[in-house]
Amino acid sequence: MKTCAAAGCTNPVPVGVRGRPAVYCCAQCRPSRPPRHAPVVVELDHPAASPDGRPTQRVWAVRLRRGELVVEIADGLGWPSAAALARAIEHLLAPPRASGQAER
């Protein structure tokens, strides 16, 4: 008889009739899978310091984030430029429409 593969568990593994043989005794012992890909998020934020001496409240940075990974796309932008860039990136990353019509 086979025992559960989870650390510290000594319960027997149920024997199935079909499919692959079981490795864990129950769902609680089976490790959960992390999501394959976290979504990419576009962030607008103020940088820690202004590159040209402007108040940081008037300077914007655009970043892409996926989980713990961060890429800064642009900094030192004014609000209109930063917002337009963020919208363009979100539009690029958006999943295609289900209606079957081509995007222009």
Side-chain angles (χ1 to χ4, degrees):
M1 189 168 249
K2 211 166 133 181
T3 59
C4 182
C9 183
T10 58
N11 293 333
V13 174
V15 178
V17 179
R18 298 183 333 174
R20 293 188 295 174
V23 178
Y24 301 99
C25 66
C26 61
Q28 289 78 18
C29 284
R30 185 174 37 251
S32 63
R33 291 184 187 159
R36 286 184 172 253
H37 295 289
V40 175
V41 178
V42 180
E43 297 178 345
L44 285 172
D45 195 12
H46 299 288
S50 174
D52 57 1
R54 290 182 287 169
T56 56
Q57 298 85 355
R58 298 186 54 88
V59 181
W60 292 86
V62 179
R63 295 185 196 99
L64 295 179
R65 179 182 301 276
R66 175 181 278 162
E68 297 297 317
L69 301 173
V70 179
V71 176
E72 190 160 301
I73 301 298
D75 67 352
L77 300 175
W79 171 250
S81 299
L85 178 58
R87 278 193 308 272
I89 293 170
E90 287 173 341
H91 181 72
L92 176 72
L93 295 175
R97 295 181 185 203
S99 65
Q101 295 178 351
E103 186 92 18
R104 292 183 184 202

